[in-house]
Amino acid sequence: MPRSQADSALAEAERHLVAGRSQQAREAFRRARLFFHRCADTEGEAIVLVRLGEAELAAGRLASAKEALSDALALLSHETDPSARADALHLMGSLKNAEKNTPERDRLWAEAVSTHRGHGNKAGEARVLRDQALVAKATGKDDLAFDLFSRAHRLYADLGHSFHEAMTLLEIGQLHRAQGRADLAHDALERAADLFRVNGDTLDEGRTRLTLARLLRDLGDKETALRDLTLCAKLFGANGHLGGQAEALIDLARLEAAKAPKAALKMLHQARALAARSGIPSLQTQAASEIARLDQAALKDTP
């Protein structure tokens, strides 16, 4: 039966995509499209094309993505599934962003937001708002980025999507920090770290706490910064994130150097080894520079 074949092919495509088998995923998506077309399921065919377009866009195959998304939008009239149409508009806007076609990107994203909002799809609306915010941030429009991130955050909070709420809080906290609003940055980053922890996302918790620790260090709260950096190093280590662990250890060593130079040196040697294993020359250089500085200080203190 064509419909069951279509569903099976679509499920197969998603499995290949998750496993990183992009060529097999594309072939399965195209089979699914053919089967949906044969049973005259226009919306099913369009949804397959949206997913194919999304996969092609993520892989940087812009011409293939444009073809799939254009075909999807041709099938998705205003009378069909509004969420699918809004998703296609969002993705086409992202494609235009990759092509540096700013006016067309903004038009498509605005229509996607309006369509999602008009049909009560808060999650879809928040996804577009976050992409708009990231573009605003990248182009130096911090006030606009803050407004867009805040709107996305409220939608995710209303939905109870705590992971995405944490992501937007992290971005809001980074903006507050960049603009010198330390108290607001601290609050947003602390809330983000707690939400990541509740979700069991210890890697993103570690990344957030590293930003938080650096903020606290800059504010002169050395004790709390040390606590958070120690936790960061443990979280990164538990996740096998060698680069993050090396960063946390270098920051810890800098804070401990005056009071406990031997412990700081041990941390720096560990950080240099971790950076070498993870293939990050810049971190190796940082650790080596700090080691040389401490060694030089020790020589000066030697009678």
Side-chain angles (χ1 to χ4, degrees):
M1 184 175 208
R3 176 63 201 235
S4 62
Q5 286 179 311
D7 289 336
S8 296
L10 182 55
E12 180 188 347
E14 298 290 357
R15 287 195 298 271
H16 284 311
L17 206 57
V18 169
R21 298 185 292 267
S22 58
Q23 182 58 40
Q24 294 95 320
R26 288 197 297 274
E27 291 170 0
F29 276 130
R30 290 183 179 118
R31 286 199 305 277
R33 179 192 183 179
L34 176 62
F35 292 139
F36 277 119
H37 182 77
R38 284 178 178 173
C39 59
D41 186 337
T42 302
E43 283 193 12
E45 183 180 354
I47 288 168
V48 170
L49 286 164
V50 172
R51 289 293 294 122
L52 175 60
E54 183 176 11
E56 297 287 57
L57 183 60
R61 291 185 286 269
L62 300 189
S64 297
K66 183 181 290 186
E67 180 182 0
L69 293 170
S70 296
D71 287 350
L73 285 166
L75 292 170
L76 288 164
S77 67
H78 291 283
E79 287 72 41
T80 55
D81 181 4
S83 292
R85 178 172 174 78
D87 286 341
L89 291 165
H90 178 193
L91 291 166
M92 187 64 91
S94 299
L95 189 149
K96 295 300 178 184
N97 185 55
E99 294 178 339
K100 303 190 186 306
N101 186 340
T102 302
E104 191 63 6
R105 174 200 71 198
D106 291 346
R107 182 190 70 78
L108 288 161
W109 278 354
E111 187 178 349
V113 167
S114 177
T115 303
H116 278 312
R117 186 183 302 139
H119 293 85
N121 187 343
K122 291 183 177 182
E125 182 183 352
R127 285 194 300 272
V128 188
L129 289 170
R130 184 167 180 265
D131 276 355
Q132 289 176 312
L134 289 169
V135 166
K137 180 181 177 183
T139 53
K141 299 174 183 175
D142 285 355
D143 289 343
L144 176 59
F146 180 79
D147 177 63
L148 291 164
F149 279 134
S150 298
R151 287 164 60 191
H153 170 254
R154 287 192 293 271
L155 291 168
Y156 284 131
D158 287 347
L159 291 165
H161 291 186
S162 53
F163 171 76
H164 292 100
E165 184 184 353
M167 288 299 297
T168 53
L169 280 169
L170 171 57
E171 287 149 343
I172 288 168
Q174 290 169 338
L175 278 173
H176 278 315
R177 185 187 180 201
Q179 294 182 357
R181 297 189 289 263
D183 288 346
L184 292 173
H186 179 276
D187 180 58
L189 292 168
E190 191 71 64
R191 287 160 61 202
D194 287 344
L195 284 169
F196 283 131
R197 178 180 51 77
V198 168
N199 275 274
D201 184 355
T202 52
L203 182 55
D204 279 315
E205 181 190 356
R207 290 179 175 131
T208 305
R209 290 204 178 279
L210 183 57
T211 302
L212 184 58
R214 287 168 173 170
L215 171 66
L216 292 164
R217 176 200 63 197
D218 294 346
L219 291 172
D221 189 349
K222 180 180 174 181
E223 183 178 344
T224 311
L226 284 169
R227 183 200 67 195
D228 276 359
L229 285 169
T230 302
L231 177 57
C232 284
K234 291 178 181 176
L235 291 171
F236 285 132
N239 282 280
H241 191 323
L242 304 184
Q245 190 177 3
E247 279 193 72
L249 286 169
I250 290 170
D251 281 8
L252 268 172
R254 285 169 175 162
L255 286 176
E256 291 281 54
K259 184 179 72 175
K262 288 183 179 179
L265 270 174
K266 184 177 179 181
M267 292 176 198
L268 290 168
H269 281 292
Q270 184 184 356
R272 184 169 64 178
L274 289 167
R277 286 169 57 194
S278 59
I280 308 176
S282 60
L283 279 179
Q284 284 181 263
T285 302
Q286 282 183 46
S289 176
E290 292 295 325
I291 289 168
R293 186 176 64 81
L294 281 182
D295 285 342
Q296 188 65 33
L299 283 174
K300 287 180 180 178
D301 290 340
T302 302

